[in-house]
Amino acid sequence: MSITELNNSISTESFRPSRRQQPSLKIQTPVIHSDAPQAPWMDLVLKRAFDIVSSLSALLVLAPFLLFVALLIKLDSPGPVLFKQTRWGKNCKAIKVYKFRSMRTDLCDVSGVAQTVKNDPRITRVGAILRRTNVDELPQLLNVLMGHMSVVGPRCHAIGMRAGGMLYEELVPEYHQRHAMRPGMTGLAQMRGLRGPTDRPAKARARIVSDLYYVTNFSIGMDIRIIAGTVVSELTRGKGF
């Protein structure tokens, strides 16, 4: 299956928010159904092996560049180089995710609930470049090496994240099924160009549909296509901010 066929095989109409569910201030207890499809064990072993080799190699090769970025951040604004945030991990466990700090320390949202918007006043000068090029996410290679994340997987969401004013759990009842696998630095949604603020429910549902499709149909072959597709997507339509 080609990258184009993979994109076209997923319909954003697959998951709609339940009309009976009402917005709630509390996050419902995450549940992952035990009857969810299980990925082939050999593919999972190969996936983890690839994660270890690729993340360790990238950290070693990129070490001088990462140190240079860290220096730019320190010179640009006061505060730590790295930014830590609590997000959903595999099996709905809370994990600490690392990123290069791209916002002012006195304005940044540690919870991650307040989404970034275009021309966001919280973003520093260096941070704007880091976010536009996605360099701010390179420290997540540490998360991959430690086993908290994978190179490819569902997007790593902040706990309590909202879309169109609704919790993701309320918007898509099957939301937590995406946490049956490790979150990824990239994924099917990113390959399809689904990124940026989720100010409308339809945008958020399209991303979750992609994540659920990935979890259900995971294979090493799909990971390779997603990595290749992400490179193409970033080169042709990257638009982080």
Side-chain angles (χ1 to χ4, degrees):
M1 182 184 292
S2 68
I3 293 172
T4 302
E5 292 172 333
L6 182 61
N7 280 342
N8 294 335
S9 65
I10 305 171
S11 170
T12 56
E13 297 296 323
S14 301
F15 296 91
R16 296 179 178 274
S18 172
R19 294 182 179 179
R20 292 176 296 178
Q21 285 188 304
Q22 300 297 323
S24 171
L25 295 177
K26 294 183 178 180
I27 299 176
Q28 298 180 4
T29 302
V31 175
I32 297 179
H33 302 308
S34 59
D35 58 349
Q38 298 296 313
W41 69 270
M42 181 56 71
D43 277 8
L44 292 175
V45 171
L46 292 174
K47 181 179 178 67
R48 182 57 190 149
F50 174 79
D51 284 344
I52 294 174
V53 173
S54 60
S55 60
L56 182 58
S57 299
L59 286 169
L60 292 175
V61 172
L62 295 175
F65 175 70
L66 298 177
L67 290 174
F68 175 68
V69 172
L71 177 61
L72 291 180
I73 293 173
K74 293 297 291 185
L75 293 175
D76 182 51
S77 62
V81 169
L82 295 180
F83 173 71
K84 293 187 296 183
Q85 191 176 74
T86 302
R87 300 188 179 187
W88 289 118
K90 183 179 179 182
N91 295 326
C92 298
K93 293 182 179 179
I95 62 174
K96 291 289 186 181
V97 174
Y98 299 101
K99 297 182 68 175
F100 277 129
R101 181 176 59 82
S102 60
M103 294 186 177
R104 293 170 49 185
T105 54
D106 58 330
L107 296 177
C108 66
D109 174 33
V110 179
S111 68
V113 175
Q115 295 190 21
T116 308
V117 297
K118 194 171 183 178
N119 299 320
D120 198 313
R122 300 174 297 170
I123 299 177
T124 63
R125 291 170 298 178
V126 169
I129 300 174
L130 298 182
R131 298 178 74 92
R132 187 162 57 247
T133 56
N134 289 325
V135 170
D136 64 317
E137 298 191 352
L138 287 180
Q140 291 177 16
L141 289 167
L142 292 170
N143 290 108
V144 174
L145 184 60
M146 293 186 292
H148 299 153
M149 293 178 63
S150 178
V151 173
V152 179
R155 182 70 172 175
C156 197
H157 283 177
I159 297 175
M161 192 171 180
R162 293 176 178 269
M166 296 178 63
L167 288 171
Y168 268 96
E169 294 91 330
E170 297 168 343
L171 189 63
V172 182
E174 298 87 353
Y175 171 74
H176 282 295
Q177 294 304 114
R178 68 194 294 278
H179 298 132
M181 297 189 71
R182 290 185 180 91
M185 292 185 66
T186 187
L188 184 56
Q190 286 70 44
M191 185 193 80
R192 301 179 75 205
L194 299 172
R195 54 184 302 181
T198 51
D199 51 344
R200 297 200 307 268
K203 291 183 179 180
R205 286 199 298 272
R207 299 182 190 190
I208 302 305
V209 167
S210 296
D211 291 340
L212 295 176
Y213 181 91
Y214 172 79
V215 169
T216 303
N217 298 278
F218 160 74
S219 69
I220 289 297
M222 180 180 286
D223 272 16
I224 294 174
R225 292 194 295 275
I226 289 175
I227 292 173
T230 298
V231 173
V232 173
S233 178
E234 289 300 316
L235 292 176
T236 58
R237 57 187 178 184
K239 53 181 180 180
F241 56 76

PDB file of all heavy atoms in Angstrom, residues 49-67 100 135 137-145 151 185:
ATOM      1  N   ALA A  49      13.381  -2.260  18.782  1.00  0.00           N
ATOM      2  CA  ALA A  49      14.786  -2.295  18.401  1.00  0.00           C
ATOM      3  C   ALA A  49      15.125  -1.094  17.512  1.00  0.00           C
ATOM      4  O   ALA A  49      16.164  -0.454  17.689  1.00  0.00           O
ATOM      5  CB  ALA A  49      15.101  -3.603  17.669  1.00  0.00           C
ATOM      6  N   PHE A  50      14.243  -0.780  16.584  1.00  0.00           N
ATOM      7  CA  PHE A  50      14.453   0.372  15.716  1.00  0.00           C
ATOM      8  C   PHE A  50      14.461   1.662  16.528  1.00  0.00           C
ATOM      9  O   PHE A  50      15.278   2.556  16.278  1.00  0.00           O
ATOM     10  CB  PHE A  50      13.359   0.434  14.647  1.00  0.00           C
ATOM     11  CG  PHE A  50      13.420   1.671  13.793  1.00  0.00           C
ATOM     12  CD1 PHE A  50      14.337   1.768  12.758  1.00  0.00           C
ATOM     13  CD2 PHE A  50      12.577   2.748  14.047  1.00  0.00           C
ATOM     14  CE1 PHE A  50      14.411   2.914  11.975  1.00  0.00           C
ATOM     15  CE2 PHE A  50      12.645   3.898  13.269  1.00  0.00           C
ATOM     16  CZ  PHE A  50      13.562   3.981  12.231  1.00  0.00           C
ATOM     17  N   ASP A  51      13.552   1.765  17.504  1.00  0.00           N
ATOM     18  CA  ASP A  51      13.489   2.956  18.354  1.00  0.00           C
ATOM     19  C   ASP A  51      14.804   3.180  19.092  1.00  0.00           C
ATOM     20  O   ASP A  51      15.316   4.303  19.158  1.00  0.00           O
ATOM     21  CB  ASP A  51      12.350   2.820  19.372  1.00  0.00           C
ATOM     22  CG  ASP A  51      10.977   3.035  18.757  1.00  0.00           C
ATOM     23  OD1 ASP A  51      10.908   3.585  17.643  1.00  0.00           O
ATOM     24  OD2 ASP A  51       9.978   2.658  19.394  1.00  0.00           O
ATOM     25  N   ILE A  52      15.354   2.112  19.664  1.00  0.00           N
ATOM     26  CA  ILE A  52      16.588   2.221  20.443  1.00  0.00           C
ATOM     27  C   ILE A  52      17.760   2.630  19.544  1.00  0.00           C
ATOM     28  O   ILE A  52      18.509   3.568  19.856  1.00  0.00           O
ATOM     29  CB  ILE A  52      16.901   0.890  21.153  1.00  0.00           C
ATOM     30  CG1 ILE A  52      15.831   0.595  22.212  1.00  0.00           C
ATOM     31  CG2 ILE A  52      18.295   0.939  21.793  1.00  0.00           C
ATOM     32  CD1 ILE A  52      15.974  -0.767  22.865  1.00  0.00           C
ATOM     33  N   VAL A  53      17.913   1.923  18.440  1.00  0.00           N
ATOM     34  CA  VAL A  53      19.036   2.194  17.541  1.00  0.00           C
ATOM     35  C   VAL A  53      18.940   3.594  16.936  1.00  0.00           C
ATOM     36  O   VAL A  53      19.915   4.350  16.903  1.00  0.00           O
ATOM     37  CB  VAL A  53      19.103   1.131  16.421  1.00  0.00           C
ATOM     38  CG1 VAL A  53      20.165   1.508  15.384  1.00  0.00           C
ATOM     39  CG2 VAL A  53      19.407  -0.237  17.010  1.00  0.00           C
ATOM     40  N   SER A  54      17.752   3.954  16.454  1.00  0.00           N
ATOM     41  CA  SER A  54      17.597   5.241  15.775  1.00  0.00           C
ATOM     42  C   SER A  54      17.709   6.420  16.733  1.00  0.00           C
ATOM     43  O   SER A  54      18.343   7.435  16.407  1.00  0.00           O
ATOM     44  CB  SER A  54      16.249   5.291  15.042  1.00  0.00           C
ATOM     45  OG  SER A  54      15.165   5.129  15.953  1.00  0.00           O
ATOM     46  N   SER A  55      17.115   6.303  17.929  1.00  0.00           N
ATOM     47  CA  SER A  55      17.177   7.420  18.877  1.00  0.00           C
ATOM     48  C   SER A  55      18.591   7.611  19.415  1.00  0.00           C
ATOM     49  O   SER A  55      19.073   8.750  19.529  1.00  0.00           O
ATOM     50  CB  SER A  55      16.196   7.196  20.034  1.00  0.00           C
ATOM     51  OG  SER A  55      16.498   6.004  20.754  1.00  0.00           O
ATOM     52  N   LEU A  56      19.270   6.520  19.744  1.00  0.00           N
ATOM     53  CA  LEU A  56      20.638   6.621  20.254  1.00  0.00           C
ATOM     54  C   LEU A  56      21.574   7.173  19.178  1.00  0.00           C
ATOM     55  O   LEU A  56      22.404   8.056  19.450  1.00  0.00           O
ATOM     56  CB  LEU A  56      21.121   5.249  20.719  1.00  0.00           C
ATOM     57  CG  LEU A  56      22.539   5.194  21.322  1.00  0.00           C
ATOM     58  CD1 LEU A  56      22.652   6.135  22.510  1.00  0.00           C
ATOM     59  CD2 LEU A  56      22.890   3.764  21.723  1.00  0.00           C
ATOM     60  N   SER A  57      21.434   6.691  17.957  1.00  0.00           N
ATOM     61  CA  SER A  57      22.275   7.170  16.857  1.00  0.00           C
ATOM     62  C   SER A  57      22.036   8.652  16.596  1.00  0.00           C
ATOM     63  O   SER A  57      22.981   9.425  16.408  1.00  0.00           O
ATOM     64  CB  SER A  57      21.979   6.363  15.583  1.00  0.00           C
ATOM     65  OG  SER A  57      22.257   4.990  15.773  1.00  0.00           O
ATOM     66  N   ALA A  58      20.755   9.052  16.604  1.00  0.00           N
ATOM     67  CA  ALA A  58      20.422  10.454  16.343  1.00  0.00           C
ATOM     68  C   ALA A  58      20.968  11.361  17.436  1.00  0.00           C
ATOM     69  O   ALA A  58      21.483  12.451  17.153  1.00  0.00           O
ATOM     70  CB  ALA A  58      18.906  10.613  16.230  1.00  0.00           C
ATOM     71  N   LEU A  59      20.874  10.930  18.687  1.00  0.00           N
ATOM     72  CA  LEU A  59      21.385  11.744  19.789  1.00  0.00           C
ATOM     73  C   LEU A  59      22.898  11.932  19.699  1.00  0.00           C
ATOM     74  O   LEU A  59      23.409  13.029  19.969  1.00  0.00           O
ATOM     75  CB  LEU A  59      21.014  11.098  21.126  1.00  0.00           C
ATOM     76  CG  LEU A  59      19.542  11.222  21.549  1.00  0.00           C
ATOM     77  CD1 LEU A  59      19.249  10.324  22.748  1.00  0.00           C
ATOM     78  CD2 LEU A  59      19.199  12.673  21.878  1.00  0.00           C
ATOM     79  N   LEU A  60      23.594  10.885  19.292  1.00  0.00           N
ATOM     80  CA  LEU A  60      25.051  10.974  19.166  1.00  0.00           C
ATOM     81  C   LEU A  60      25.452  11.864  17.992  1.00  0.00           C
ATOM     82  O   LEU A  60      26.325  12.722  18.114  1.00  0.00           O
ATOM     83  CB  LEU A  60      25.646   9.568  18.995  1.00  0.00           C
ATOM     84  CG  LEU A  60      25.554   8.645  20.210  1.00  0.00           C
ATOM     85  CD1 LEU A  60      26.058   7.252  19.853  1.00  0.00           C
ATOM     86  CD2 LEU A  60      26.332   9.208  21.387  1.00  0.00           C
ATOM     87  N   VAL A  61      24.799  11.675  16.858  1.00  0.00           N
ATOM     88  CA  VAL A  61      25.130  12.446  15.655  1.00  0.00           C
ATOM     89  C   VAL A  61      24.749  13.915  15.823  1.00  0.00           C
ATOM     90  O   VAL A  61      25.483  14.820  15.397  1.00  0.00           O
ATOM     91  CB  VAL A  61      24.428  11.849  14.421  1.00  0.00           C
ATOM     92  CG1 VAL A  61      24.598  12.761  13.206  1.00  0.00           C
ATOM     93  CG2 VAL A  61      24.970  10.455  14.119  1.00  0.00           C
ATOM     94  N   LEU A  62      23.595  14.151  16.450  1.00  0.00           N
ATOM     95  CA  LEU A  62      23.084  15.517  16.577  1.00  0.00           C
ATOM     96  C   LEU A  62      23.572  16.247  17.829  1.00  0.00           C
ATOM     97  O   LEU A  62      23.203  17.398  18.046  1.00  0.00           O
ATOM     98  CB  LEU A  62      21.551  15.491  16.600  1.00  0.00           C
ATOM     99  CG  LEU A  62      20.853  15.009  15.322  1.00  0.00           C
ATOM    100  CD1 LEU A  62      19.349  14.923  15.551  1.00  0.00           C
ATOM    101  CD2 LEU A  62      21.165  15.942  14.158  1.00  0.00           C
ATOM    102  N   ALA A  63      24.404  15.597  18.641  1.00  0.00           N
ATOM    103  CA  ALA A  63      24.847  16.192  19.906  1.00  0.00           C
ATOM    104  C   ALA A  63      25.408  17.607  19.745  1.00  0.00           C
ATOM    105  O   ALA A  63      25.005  18.522  20.492  1.00  0.00           O
ATOM    106  CB  ALA A  63      25.868  15.275  20.582  1.00  0.00           C
ATOM    107  N   PRO A  64      26.329  17.865  18.809  1.00  0.00           N
ATOM    108  CA  PRO A  64      26.837  19.241  18.653  1.00  0.00           C
ATOM    109  C   PRO A  64      25.727  20.237  18.306  1.00  0.00           C
ATOM    110  O   PRO A  64      25.704  21.357  18.832  1.00  0.00           O
ATOM    111  CB  PRO A  64      27.847  19.109  17.510  1.00  0.00           C
ATOM    112  CG  PRO A  64      28.260  17.680  17.527  1.00  0.00           C
ATOM    113  CD  PRO A  64      27.013  16.925  17.902  1.00  0.00           C
ATOM    114  N   PHE A  65      24.836  19.846  17.427  1.00  0.00           N
ATOM    115  CA  PHE A  65      23.728  20.727  17.033  1.00  0.00           C
ATOM    116  C   PHE A  65      22.792  20.984  18.214  1.00  0.00           C
ATOM    117  O   PHE A  65      22.348  22.121  18.429  1.00  0.00           O
ATOM    118  CB  PHE A  65      22.950  20.095  15.878  1.00  0.00           C
ATOM    119  CG  PHE A  65      21.723  20.870  15.489  1.00  0.00           C
ATOM    120  CD1 PHE A  65      21.827  22.107  14.859  1.00  0.00           C
ATOM    121  CD2 PHE A  65      20.456  20.371  15.758  1.00  0.00           C
ATOM    122  CE1 PHE A  65      20.693  22.824  14.505  1.00  0.00           C
ATOM    123  CE2 PHE A  65      19.320  21.081  15.402  1.00  0.00           C
ATOM    124  CZ  PHE A  65      19.434  22.314  14.777  1.00  0.00           C
ATOM    125  N   LEU A  66      22.493  19.946  19.003  1.00  0.00           N
ATOM    126  CA  LEU A  66      21.610  20.105  20.151  1.00  0.00           C
ATOM    127  C   LEU A  66      22.217  21.053  21.190  1.00  0.00           C
ATOM    128  O   LEU A  66      21.506  21.859  21.801  1.00  0.00           O
ATOM    129  CB  LEU A  66      21.315  18.734  20.783  1.00  0.00           C
ATOM    130  CG  LEU A  66      20.581  17.724  19.892  1.00  0.00           C
ATOM    131  CD1 LEU A  66      20.429  16.393  20.614  1.00  0.00           C
ATOM    132  CD2 LEU A  66      19.211  18.267  19.486  1.00  0.00           C
ATOM    133  N   LEU A  67      23.536  20.959  21.383  1.00  0.00           N
ATOM    134  CA  LEU A  67      24.214  21.863  22.309  1.00  0.00           C
ATOM    135  C   LEU A  67      24.171  23.303  21.800  1.00  0.00           C
ATOM    136  O   LEU A  67      24.021  24.247  22.582  1.00  0.00           O
ATOM    137  CB  LEU A  67      25.670  21.411  22.500  1.00  0.00           C
ATOM    138  CG  LEU A  67      25.869  20.097  23.280  1.00  0.00           C
ATOM    139  CD1 LEU A  67      27.337  19.694  23.265  1.00  0.00           C
ATOM    140  CD2 LEU A  67      25.364  20.242  24.713  1.00  0.00           C
ATOM    141  N   PHE A 100      12.604  21.271  23.683  1.00  0.00           N
ATOM    142  CA  PHE A 100      13.349  22.502  23.881  1.00  0.00           C
ATOM    143  C   PHE A 100      12.350  23.600  24.239  1.00  0.00           C
ATOM    144  O   PHE A 100      11.283  23.702  23.627  1.00  0.00           O
ATOM    145  CB  PHE A 100      14.093  22.903  22.599  1.00  0.00           C
ATOM    146  CG  PHE A 100      15.412  22.220  22.413  1.00  0.00           C
ATOM    147  CD1 PHE A 100      15.705  21.574  21.216  1.00  0.00           C
ATOM    148  CD2 PHE A 100      16.374  22.234  23.410  1.00  0.00           C
ATOM    149  CE1 PHE A 100      16.923  20.946  21.028  1.00  0.00           C
ATOM    150  CE2 PHE A 100      17.595  21.604  23.236  1.00  0.00           C
ATOM    151  CZ  PHE A 100      17.867  20.958  22.047  1.00  0.00           C
ATOM    152  N   VAL A 135      12.371  21.585  15.425  1.00  0.00           N
ATOM    153  CA  VAL A 135      13.594  21.262  16.173  1.00  0.00           C
ATOM    154  C   VAL A 135      13.298  21.193  17.668  1.00  0.00           C
ATOM    155  O   VAL A 135      13.986  20.479  18.415  1.00  0.00           O
ATOM    156  CB  VAL A 135      14.689  22.314  15.880  1.00  0.00           C
ATOM    157  CG1 VAL A 135      15.879  22.147  16.813  1.00  0.00           C
ATOM    158  CG2 VAL A 135      15.141  22.211  14.428  1.00  0.00           C
ATOM    159  N   GLU A 137      11.212  19.579  19.144  1.00  0.00           N
ATOM    160  CA  GLU A 137      10.795  18.241  19.544  1.00  0.00           C
ATOM    161  C   GLU A 137      11.934  17.224  19.556  1.00  0.00           C
ATOM    162  O   GLU A 137      11.733  16.079  19.959  1.00  0.00           O
ATOM    163  CB  GLU A 137       9.665  17.755  18.635  1.00  0.00           C
ATOM    164  CG  GLU A 137       8.415  18.637  18.716  1.00  0.00           C
ATOM    165  CD  GLU A 137       7.212  18.016  18.040  1.00  0.00           C
ATOM    166  OE1 GLU A 137       7.381  16.972  17.379  1.00  0.00           O
ATOM    167  OE2 GLU A 137       6.112  18.582  18.164  1.00  0.00           O
ATOM    168  N   LEU A 138      13.128  17.625  19.152  1.00  0.00           N
ATOM    169  CA  LEU A 138      14.244  16.683  19.109  1.00  0.00           C
ATOM    170  C   LEU A 138      14.592  16.067  20.471  1.00  0.00           C
ATOM    171  O   LEU A 138      15.014  14.907  20.527  1.00  0.00           O
ATOM    172  CB  LEU A 138      15.479  17.362  18.509  1.00  0.00           C
ATOM    173  CG  LEU A 138      15.427  17.615  16.994  1.00  0.00           C
ATOM    174  CD1 LEU A 138      16.706  18.298  16.523  1.00  0.00           C
ATOM    175  CD2 LEU A 138      15.204  16.315  16.229  1.00  0.00           C
ATOM    176  N   PRO A 139      14.444  16.793  21.607  1.00  0.00           N
ATOM    177  CA  PRO A 139      14.717  16.155  22.896  1.00  0.00           C
ATOM    178  C   PRO A 139      13.824  14.955  23.192  1.00  0.00           C
ATOM    179  O   PRO A 139      14.130  14.160  24.088  1.00  0.00           O
ATOM    180  CB  PRO A 139      14.468  17.294  23.903  1.00  0.00           C
ATOM    181  CG  PRO A 139      14.801  18.536  23.145  1.00  0.00           C
ATOM    182  CD  PRO A 139      14.266  18.260  21.758  1.00  0.00           C
ATOM    183  N   GLN A 140      12.744  14.795  22.439  1.00  0.00           N
ATOM    184  CA  GLN A 140      11.895  13.624  22.629  1.00  0.00           C
ATOM    185  C   GLN A 140      12.614  12.334  22.238  1.00  0.00           C
ATOM    186  O   GLN A 140      12.149  11.226  22.560  1.00  0.00           O
ATOM    187  CB  GLN A 140      10.606  13.776  21.835  1.00  0.00           C
ATOM    188  CG  GLN A 140       9.684  14.853  22.384  1.00  0.00           C
ATOM    189  CD  GLN A 140       8.447  15.053  21.542  1.00  0.00           C
ATOM    190  OE1 GLN A 140       8.088  14.222  20.715  1.00  0.00           O
ATOM    191  NE2 GLN A 140       7.770  16.166  21.750  1.00  0.00           N
ATOM    192  N   LEU A 141      13.759  12.473  21.576  1.00  0.00           N
ATOM    193  CA  LEU A 141      14.584  11.297  21.306  1.00  0.00           C
ATOM    194  C   LEU A 141      14.992  10.623  22.616  1.00  0.00           C
ATOM    195  O   LEU A 141      15.173   9.401  22.673  1.00  0.00           O
ATOM    196  CB  LEU A 141      15.831  11.699  20.509  1.00  0.00           C
ATOM    197  CG  LEU A 141      15.587  12.098  19.047  1.00  0.00           C
ATOM    198  CD1 LEU A 141      16.823  12.780  18.477  1.00  0.00           C
ATOM    199  CD2 LEU A 141      15.218  10.869  18.213  1.00  0.00           C
ATOM    200  N   LEU A 142      15.129  11.427  23.683  1.00  0.00           N
ATOM    201  CA  LEU A 142      15.417  10.861  25.007  1.00  0.00           C
ATOM    202  C   LEU A 142      14.251  10.010  25.493  1.00  0.00           C
ATOM    203  O   LEU A 142      14.451   8.934  26.073  1.00  0.00           O
ATOM    204  CB  LEU A 142      15.696  11.989  26.014  1.00  0.00           C
ATOM    205  CG  LEU A 142      16.979  12.791  25.814  1.00  0.00           C
ATOM    206  CD1 LEU A 142      16.983  14.010  26.729  1.00  0.00           C
ATOM    207  CD2 LEU A 142      18.198  11.910  26.087  1.00  0.00           C
ATOM    208  N   ASN A 143      13.029  10.489  25.261  1.00  0.00           N
ATOM    209  CA  ASN A 143      11.843   9.726  25.639  1.00  0.00           C
ATOM    210  C   ASN A 143      11.761   8.414  24.870  1.00  0.00           C
ATOM    211  O   ASN A 143      11.362   7.380  25.413  1.00  0.00           O
ATOM    212  CB  ASN A 143      10.571  10.540  25.382  1.00  0.00           C
ATOM    213  CG  ASN A 143      10.415  11.706  26.341  1.00  0.00           C
ATOM    214  OD1 ASN A 143      10.582  12.858  25.950  1.00  0.00           O
ATOM    215  ND2 ASN A 143      10.100  11.429  27.586  1.00  0.00           N
ATOM    216  N   VAL A 144      12.152   8.469  23.587  1.00  0.00           N
ATOM    217  CA  VAL A 144      12.139   7.252  22.768  1.00  0.00           C
ATOM    218  C   VAL A 144      13.167   6.258  23.299  1.00  0.00           C
ATOM    219  O   VAL A 144      12.879   5.068  23.449  1.00  0.00           O
ATOM    220  CB  VAL A 144      12.441   7.587  21.289  1.00  0.00           C
ATOM    221  CG1 VAL A 144      12.575   6.297  20.462  1.00  0.00           C
ATOM    222  CG2 VAL A 144      11.340   8.471  20.714  1.00  0.00           C
ATOM    223  N   LEU A 145      14.355   6.735  23.600  1.00  0.00           N
ATOM    224  CA  LEU A 145      15.422   5.865  24.097  1.00  0.00           C
ATOM    225  C   LEU A 145      15.032   5.228  25.429  1.00  0.00           C
ATOM    226  O   LEU A 145      15.323   4.047  25.677  1.00  0.00           O
ATOM    227  CB  LEU A 145      16.717   6.666  24.254  1.00  0.00           C
ATOM    228  CG  LEU A 145      17.960   5.883  24.682  1.00  0.00           C
ATOM    229  CD1 LEU A 145      18.297   4.798  23.661  1.00  0.00           C
ATOM    230  CD2 LEU A 145      19.145   6.827  24.865  1.00  0.00           C
ATOM    231  N   VAL A 151       9.369   6.266  17.822  1.00  0.00           N
ATOM    232  CA  VAL A 151       9.574   7.175  16.701  1.00  0.00           C
ATOM    233  C   VAL A 151       8.247   7.422  16.000  1.00  0.00           C
ATOM    234  O   VAL A 151       7.901   8.547  15.647  1.00  0.00           O
ATOM    235  CB  VAL A 151      10.610   6.606  15.710  1.00  0.00           C
ATOM    236  CG1 VAL A 151      10.683   7.492  14.462  1.00  0.00           C
ATOM    237  CG2 VAL A 151      11.981   6.515  16.368  1.00  0.00           C
ATOM    238  N   MET A 185       6.900  10.377  18.038  1.00  0.00           N
ATOM    239  CA  MET A 185       7.382  11.691  17.633  1.00  0.00           C
ATOM    240  C   MET A 185       6.682  12.139  16.356  1.00  0.00           C
ATOM    241  O   MET A 185       6.501  13.330  16.107  1.00  0.00           O
ATOM    242  CB  MET A 185       8.899  11.647  17.416  1.00  0.00           C
ATOM    243  CG  MET A 185       9.694  11.434  18.684  1.00  0.00           C
ATOM    244  SD  MET A 185      11.487  11.526  18.404  1.00  0.00           S
ATOM    245  CE  MET A 185      11.701  13.248  17.938  1.00  0.00           C
TER     246      MET A 185
END
